[in-house]
Amino acid sequence: MEMSLLETLLRDISFFLKFSSSENINSEPVQKYYQGAEEILKVLKPIILNAIFDSEITSDEVLSKAFEELGVSVEELLQQFERWQPLSSKAYFVLQVESLISEIRNSCLDIFRVLKSSHQHLPYELSSASLELHLQKIKHVGYEQTSTVIKEAKRDQVGNFGPSSEILLRIAESLSLNSNMEILIEAVALEKLKENTAQAKKVAEVECIDQLIALITHMHHCLFLIKQSQTCSSVPIPLDFICPLSLELMTDPVIVASGQTYERAFIKKWFDLGLTVCPKTRQTLVHTFLIPNNTTKALIVNWCESNNVKLPDLVESTLNQVYPPCATKVKKLVEDLKSTSNNVKLPDLVESTLNQVYPPRATKVKKLVEDLKSTSNNVKLPDLVESTLNQVYPPCATKVKKLVEDLKSTSTYTQRVATAELRLLSKQNRDNRIIIANCGAISLLVDLLHSPDTKTQENAVTTLLNLSNIDNNKKAIVDANAIEPLIHVLQTGSPVAKENSAATLFSLSIFEINKARIGRSGAIRPLVDLLGNGTPRGKKDAAAALFNLSLFHENKAQIVQADAVRYLVKLLDPAAGMVDKAVAVLASLATTFEGRTAIGQEGGIPLLVEVVELGSARGKANATAALLQLCTNSSRFCIMVLQEGAVPPLVALSQSGTQRAKEKVYTASARHRHF
């Protein structure tokens, strides 16, 4: 058995065990599965340590194969937890993770059995009695079987009756889908996952995800029926008065960009989570402004009065359903403050911290603090509150300083481990990103973009991407002369490193001054290469970066000269899943002579007309803008557009499209009539 195999396995287990401090795994069901895997790996780790230093053990072929299989499973499990995000699909995560934990559990049992039956001389720590104890520990680790229930429900879904409500509720409980909003978030996550999987042409996985979507849709319908049956009113509530997110009677209805109406607090929470699609129609929203629906509100009030129905308490409903963690903590805080008798003023620290802990509900919490300050008796800050505040921002600065020092090491392994930990910390929260930057990591990470070690380079560029989410860090990264090294990663890195390098350049190009600097540094051609030959994720990151860079006029000619239009026209094929991104870049390039010429030469006109006819609202608007540029500046292109049958879809768009699209259609139509 190669020592490197065991060392890699040990390193992966060590990384996995450090996930316990990550905010990403604090939610259910992720935490439950992490704890189960953690329990198994903590039993296994000492065994590997002993095996590494025992040459007789490592020479056993059966054991070597078992360790190799275990290594593959642990690496895949680590990747699952690394990829997990709060808006990821819980159902898909559970199906993947339960299978991996089962494989790890079985591999561990095999390893212990082989060691126990081995006739080789084993160290005391691997005695028969000790191994039997380890065996029993592994066997008694809790074993979740939610995936079995999900698979059973998927089979029932194919039949005429579908899974029972009891099975659906059991699945919802296991996945911590505790509200209608969480079920809808899961549905959106699955649809996004399906889109990405379809781009990768994984047919079997797409079919599995389709079944999960059908199951979650059935679950949503089941919950709606339960809610309807639980209403305290003898009069059925009109469906138009029920919020699609809360499934409750609305008290403050607002309209979103899709034209759907929601309860303000619930749709605001939806947006605060980073979701920009309409929960009901799944349409991508062009903006997140909320317009009061006074008509529906008046109708609801009249209906309540006519049917003697009391409107729900908006504040209590919002706290209990939209912000359950906030409600519990705030209520406990209020009770503790009320119960104190010492005359000590409530510090401003409480207000400041609460506003940072719960930014989406800062207004409500601030009002609470003001009410507490206005009470007749000054109150003491309870020990409970103080200890809670101390836990809000765990002191990780010391740890970060140590990791930054490790970046300076001459050991490739030390650098790889340090960059991996900084990558994980920078992903967790904003405070870590600030601390990492303030500890001087940026310039060292930029230097490591030239590391010959592929994993170190990938970790370094991903950490810089995470850090660039803060505007001050964007400036620091550019000031550290990171642009040329990022281009180096684009040209030489692993697929993931290339994706994250392009994403970092996109993030930096948000600032106008950086658009010119990035374009002049030679980033455009490697970005175009990634657009044409990268992974699906890499192509999207490259398109986003090129769009931003194209907003600086000087860059447009370079983008066209790098042959970007050829790739962009190919990406107008809906099967690529990038129509909106590709047509946005084409619309920008069409404002130049070189761009228009290239679009015509590459056969882009028929595809742009097709987008006007069949694309999304955003795609139609940008395709119309591109066609307008083609028609306005060339009679030859104008005739080609007409020959492709552009008039009927343009007329339809002029009647039902966005205001921007309608304006473009009107201008384009005027140009058509002129010719």
Side-chain angles (χ1 to χ4, degrees):
M1 186 190 316
E2 294 183 10
M3 294 293 286
S4 60
L5 179 103
L6 289 173
E7 288 172 352
T8 301
L9 176 57
L10 184 61
R11 186 194 69 210
D12 285 345
I13 291 174
S14 298
F15 281 162
F16 184 86
L17 296 178
K18 288 175 182 176
F19 264 102
S20 58
S21 60
S22 171
E23 288 181 1
N24 275 359
I25 66 162
N26 286 342
S27 60
E28 293 295 350
V30 182
Q31 189 174 50
K32 172 175 61 179
Y33 287 99
Y34 177 81
Q35 289 169 347
E38 181 185 43
E39 196 173 342
I40 295 172
L41 295 178
K42 278 184 175 178
V43 174
L44 177 68
K45 191 175 178 184
I47 305 300
I48 300 175
L49 281 170
N50 282 296
I52 286 175
F53 297 108
D54 193 310
S55 58
E56 290 184 20
I57 296 175
T58 56
S59 63
D60 187 293
E61 288 186 13
V62 176
L63 201 59
S64 176
K65 188 173 187 306
F67 270 120
E68 187 176 350
E69 290 173 354
L70 177 64
V72 172
S73 297
V74 170
E75 184 180 9
E76 288 183 14
L77 186 69
L78 179 62
Q79 290 173 356
Q80 287 293 333
F81 279 92
E82 279 184 331
R83 286 196 290 261
W84 170 259
Q85 292 292 332
L87 295 180
S88 301
S89 166
K90 294 179 179 180
Y92 190 79
F93 175 83
V94 165
L95 289 177
Q96 302 301 310
V97 167
E98 274 194 15
S99 172
L100 289 169
I101 292 176
S102 176
E103 289 172 12
I104 290 170
R105 183 174 181 271
N106 292 335
S107 293
C108 289
L109 292 174
D110 289 343
I111 288 169
F112 290 141
R113 291 188 187 108
V114 171
L115 288 172
K116 192 177 174 187
S117 62
S118 174
H119 297 294
Q120 297 179 9
H121 173 68
L122 298 174
Y124 171 76
E125 293 85 347
L126 299 182
S127 66
S128 181
S130 174
L131 288 169
E132 180 60 32
L133 180 62
H134 289 315
L135 263 169
Q136 294 307 317
K137 282 183 180 178
I138 296 290
K139 284 180 179 178
H140 286 91
V141 171
Y143 182 49
E144 291 289 335
Q145 296 188 17
T146 304
S147 57
T148 305
V149 183
I150 291 175
K151 289 172 184 175
E152 180 186 334
K154 282 164 58 181
R155 285 194 297 271
D156 292 343
Q157 187 78 23
V158 178
N160 294 327
F161 300 102
S164 66
S165 58
E166 290 78 12
I167 291 291
L168 290 172
L169 291 173
R170 181 180 167 190
I171 294 172
E173 185 178 354
S174 298
L175 298 178
S176 295
L177 300 176
N178 301 316
S179 68
N180 185 58
M181 180 184 284
E182 289 179 336
I183 291 173
L184 290 175
I185 290 172
E186 174 69 14
V188 170
L190 284 168
E191 287 171 4
K192 185 175 181 181
L193 180 64
K194 178 186 173 182
E195 179 186 343
N196 294 335
T197 307
Q199 288 172 15
K201 298 182 179 178
K202 298 177 181 177
V203 179
E205 278 192 53
V206 170
E207 185 178 345
C208 171
I209 296 167
D210 268 332
Q211 292 171 346
L212 288 175
I213 290 172
L215 188 64
I216 296 300
T217 302
H218 195 155
M219 189 183 294
H220 166 67
H221 181 65
C222 177
L223 180 60
F224 177 77
L225 294 177
I226 291 171
K227 279 278 189 181
Q228 288 287 86
S229 67
Q230 290 175 344
T231 179
C232 56
S233 171
S234 58
V235 184
I237 303 173
L239 293 181
D240 289 341
F241 296 172
I242 297 174
C243 172
L245 280 171
S246 69
L247 299 183
E248 301 282 354
L249 183 65
M250 290 185 283
T251 58
D252 188 10
V254 292
I255 304 171
V256 299
S258 63
Q260 299 295 320
T261 297
Y262 298 92
E263 179 68 61
R264 180 186 294 274
F266 284 84
I267 192 62
K268 187 176 184 304
K269 172 63 175 177
W270 180 270
F271 291 153
D272 288 340
L273 289 170
L275 293 158
T276 55
V277 297
C278 174
K280 190 171 182 179
T281 67
R282 305 290 198 273
Q283 175 185 340
T284 300
L285 301 174
V286 294
H287 63 74
T288 56
F289 301 128
L290 302 177
I291 303 168
N293 191 336
N294 295 322
T295 303
T296 297
K297 186 171 184 176
L299 290 171
I300 290 172
V301 171
N302 288 336
W303 180 84
C304 288
E305 290 175 353
S306 302
N307 294 280
N308 198 26
V309 173
K310 183 181 178 183
L311 278 169
D313 186 307
L314 178 60
V315 176
E316 187 171 351
S317 171
T318 300
L319 278 175
N320 288 336
Q321 296 186 55
V322 182
Y323 307 121
C326 176
T328 305
K329 291 184 181 179
V330 170
K331 286 176 182 176
K332 184 73 173 70
L333 173 63
V334 173
E335 290 305 313
D336 285 337
L337 291 172
K338 285 181 178 178
S339 66
T340 56
S341 55
N342 297 32
N343 293 328
V344 180
K345 186 179 180 182
L346 179 70
D348 290 338
L349 174 63
V350 179
E351 180 179 354
S352 169
T353 304
L354 286 174
N355 281 334
Q356 293 178 59
V357 176
Y358 303 117
R361 44 270 197 200
T363 305
K364 291 186 177 69
V365 177
K366 191 170 184 179
K367 177 67 168 62
L368 168 65
V369 173
E370 290 302 318
D371 290 344
L372 289 169
K373 286 182 175 180
S374 67
T375 55
S376 55
N377 293 328
N378 288 331
V379 292
K380 179 183 179 182
L381 181 67
D383 291 339
L384 173 66
V385 179
E386 187 171 355
S387 70
T388 302
L389 295 175
N390 287 335
Q391 294 176 49
V392 172
Y393 300 111
C396 69
T398 305
K399 179 180 180 180
V400 170
K401 286 177 182 176
K402 171 67 170 62
L403 292 172
V404 171
E405 285 303 311
D406 287 346
L407 294 180
K408 302 174 186 176
S409 171
T410 56
S411 163
T412 298
Y413 179 77
T414 301
Q415 288 181 335
R416 188 188 308 154
V417 172
T419 53
E421 293 207 36
L422 287 170
R423 174 180 179 173
L424 180 61
L425 286 169
S426 65
K427 181 180 179 181
Q428 288 174 1
N429 56 56
R430 177 183 175 85
D431 298 309
N432 285 356
R433 292 191 276 275
I434 293 171
I435 291 169
I436 291 169
N438 289 344
C439 286
I442 287 176
S443 60
L444 296 169
L445 289 166
V446 169
D447 291 341
L448 289 174
L449 295 179
H450 285 285
S451 171
D453 182 67
T454 304
K455 198 63 183 176
T456 299
Q457 184 190 60
E458 181 184 307
N459 290 335
V461 73
T462 308
T463 305
L464 287 170
L465 170 61
N466 295 337
L467 295 179
S468 73
N469 286 334
I470 296 175
D471 284 351
N472 286 343
N473 289 351
K474 284 184 176 69
K475 184 178 185 305
I477 291 169
V478 173
D479 289 346
N481 297 315
I483 293 174
E484 285 78 8
L486 285 168
I487 295 170
H488 171 74
V489 176
L490 263 182
Q491 295 168 325
T492 65
S494 68
V496 173
K498 288 180 178 181
E499 292 167 12
N500 291 339
S501 177
T504 307
L505 289 170
F506 164 73
S507 178
L508 299 178
S509 67
I510 296 294
F511 290 163
E512 198 65 28
I513 191 172
N514 292 341
K515 290 181 173 67
R517 186 167 176 178
I518 293 170
R520 292 166 185 168
S521 298
I524 288 173
R525 187 163 292 279
L527 281 171
V528 171
D529 288 341
L530 184 63
L531 179 74
N533 305 302
T535 62
R537 179 73 263 169
K539 290 180 179 182
K540 287 184 178 180
D541 290 327
L546 288 168
F547 174 75
N548 259 11
L549 294 175
S550 74
L551 299 179
F552 182 68
H553 189 76
E554 178 185 301
N555 291 333
K556 294 182 181 183
Q558 281 194 65
I559 295 172
V560 174
Q561 288 163 11
D563 210 16
V565 173
R566 176 163 63 95
Y567 296 127
L568 291 167
V569 168
K570 287 181 180 178
L571 292 172
L572 291 179
D573 180 353
M578 281 187 58
V579 173
D580 283 357
K581 284 183 167 57
V583 79
V585 183
L586 287 171
S588 178
L589 298 179
T591 60
T592 67
F593 172 77
E594 297 87 352
R596 292 189 293 273
T597 302
I599 291 170
Q601 289 175 345
E602 295 296 338
I605 290 176
L607 293 169
L608 287 171
V609 173
E610 186 176 317
V611 175
V612 172
E613 184 175 7
L614 302 173
S616 67
R618 181 192 295 179
K620 289 178 178 181
N622 282 322
T624 304
L627 291 173
L628 172 61
Q629 289 293 335
L630 288 161
C631 293
T632 302
N633 293 281
S634 168
S635 58
R636 180 169 64 88
F637 287 149
C638 188
I639 292 168
M640 289 173 65
V641 169
L642 288 171
Q643 289 173 340
E644 289 298 331
V647 174
L650 286 171
V651 170
L653 187 60
S654 71
Q655 296 171 348
S656 61
T658 64
Q659 186 59 38
R660 175 172 177 261
K662 289 178 180 179
E663 290 171 359
K664 297 294 183 186
V665 169
Y666 177 79
T667 309
S669 298
R671 181 64 180 171
H672 289 162
R673 288 193 298 271
H674 179 72
F675 285 100

